[in-house]
Amino acid sequence: MAVKFTILGSGSGGNCAYVETAEVRILVDAGFSPRQIRQRLASIGRTPENLTAILVTHEHSDHVQGLSGIAAKLKIPIYCNRATQEAFQFQLEAKFDCRLFDTGASFEIGDLLVDTFAIPHDAQDPVGFLIRTPAGNIGFVTDLGHTTKLVLERVRPANVLVLESNHDVKMLQDCPRRSWSLKQRILSRHGHLSNEAAAEAAAQIMSAELKHLYLAHLSRECNRPELAHYVMAEQLHHIGAKHVQLQLAAQDMPCKTLEL
């Protein structure tokens, strides 16, 4: 059976992805309303009732807002670290079945091996994931202010990479709807990656094994899909990475399902 991967949506308003193997069906983050998660799963012929687990990167609402109506209601186990668990349980005022890991550790869910690693973001203990499936490795690096040597090292084995390309720096600086303090937070080393920073990271991560690159967590107000795509495509051309298929994850609809 092929491993199936679908980004159900990604952006400042919500983030959620689906991974299916012969043994497990998991979500990475649950940042949409329960209704939205159900509808997006239904669009690929799946239901929340059949989920094996939910992996959570950090406690910000665009990654956890669907947990109460999905995980708590259906008693789906959540894999996260202790600081993240404490933060989202306080925010959501609910108790969950959490399977805790220490950041940097690896754990198994069925036929998956999940590597975790620290990322620099303004949350309690945010993590990235490298999910090792029978058909290939899927890396998640979606909320970080800069790429550390650790992040680059941990996601370099990815065959599929979900990488943040949040904003265009000038558009962010000129945005009249963002306060100065918010702009500083986004631009900080614990904020979000710009298009250029994402392109630089991709060049450092690049390997012959990386086949699919998804640009994720694009800002609606401070970025444009065509701009993010152009900056990354130019970088891929510059480094001769013709073997990489570049796609953009959208906020409003799931990406086409990828079969590994």
Side-chain angles (χ1 to χ4, degrees):
M1 176 181 171
V3 172
K4 296 181 179 181
F5 173 62
T6 312
I7 298 180
L8 298 177
S10 182
S12 302
N15 296 271
C16 187
Y18 175 78
V19 180
E20 178 180 323
T21 70
E23 296 184 13
V24 299
R25 296 179 175 189
I26 68 167
L27 294 183
V28 178
D29 289 328
F32 294 102
S33 70
R35 182 183 178 191
Q36 273 291 311
I37 292 173
R38 184 173 290 278
Q39 288 177 346
R40 291 175 190 231
L41 282 172
S43 74
I44 59 170
R46 301 293 182 263
T47 67
E49 283 77 8
N50 292 326
L51 290 172
T52 310
I54 300 175
L55 278 55
V56 175
T57 58
H58 65 293
E59 75 276 9
H60 289 166
S61 63
D62 58 325
H63 295 260
V64 303
Q65 63 179 300
L67 289 180
S68 295
I70 298 292
K73 185 176 181 181
L74 301 175
K75 297 180 171 55
I76 299 166
I78 296 172
Y79 287 76
C80 60
N81 57 41
R82 184 172 298 280
T84 300
Q85 175 202 23
E86 292 174 351
F88 70 67
Q89 286 195 162
F90 176 78
Q91 289 168 210
L92 300 174
E93 299 180 338
K95 295 282 187 179
F96 301 89
D97 175 11
C98 292
R99 315 291 170 87
L100 299 181
F101 59 79
D102 293 326
T103 299
S106 299
F107 57 89
E108 293 182 0
I109 308 175
D111 54 358
L112 299 180
L113 175 64
V114 182
D115 298 338
T116 72
F117 50 92
I119 59 173
H121 190 54
D122 57 354
Q124 293 299 317
D125 189 4
V127 298
F129 294 119
L130 182 72
I131 302 176
R132 299 179 184 269
T133 83
N137 304 327
I138 306 172
F140 288 86
V141 192
T142 58
D143 289 66
L144 69 170
H146 68 284
T147 46
T148 63
K149 288 182 179 179
L150 174 67
V151 169
L152 297 171
E153 177 185 307
R154 291 299 188 94
V155 297
R156 195 165 284 123
N159 307 112
V160 180
L161 179 61
V162 184
L163 178 65
E164 173 173 72
S165 190
N166 178 254
H167 60 274
D168 173 77
V169 173
K170 188 174 189 309
M171 287 182 68
L172 175 60
Q173 290 172 336
D174 294 345
C175 182
R177 291 174 293 281
R178 303 290 176 98
S179 66
W180 181 86
S181 60
L182 178 56
K183 292 176 183 180
Q184 292 303 111
R185 176 192 156 242
I186 294 169
L187 290 166
S188 77
R189 288 175 65 79
H190 287 79
H192 292 277
L193 289 186
S194 67
N195 295 335
E196 287 74 18
E200 291 172 13
Q204 295 179 73
I205 292 165
M206 191 54 58
S207 72
E209 286 70 43
L210 181 61
K211 304 298 184 185
H212 301 272
L213 175 59
Y214 291 86
L215 302 185
H217 217 299
L218 270 68
S219 168
R220 276 178 168 161
E221 293 184 337
C222 303
N223 207 350
R224 295 196 306 274
E226 62 271 20
L227 184 56
H229 188 280
Y230 174 79
V231 172
M232 185 61 76
E234 283 289 292
Q235 178 72 288
L236 296 179
H237 176 75
H238 177 70
I239 63 176
K242 296 179 180 178
H243 62 288
V244 177
Q245 184 175 339
L246 177 61
Q247 298 184 61
L248 272 71
Q251 180 77 90
D252 300 326
M253 65 182 69
C255 291
K256 182 180 178 181
T257 295
L258 174 66
E259 293 195 3
L260 279 69

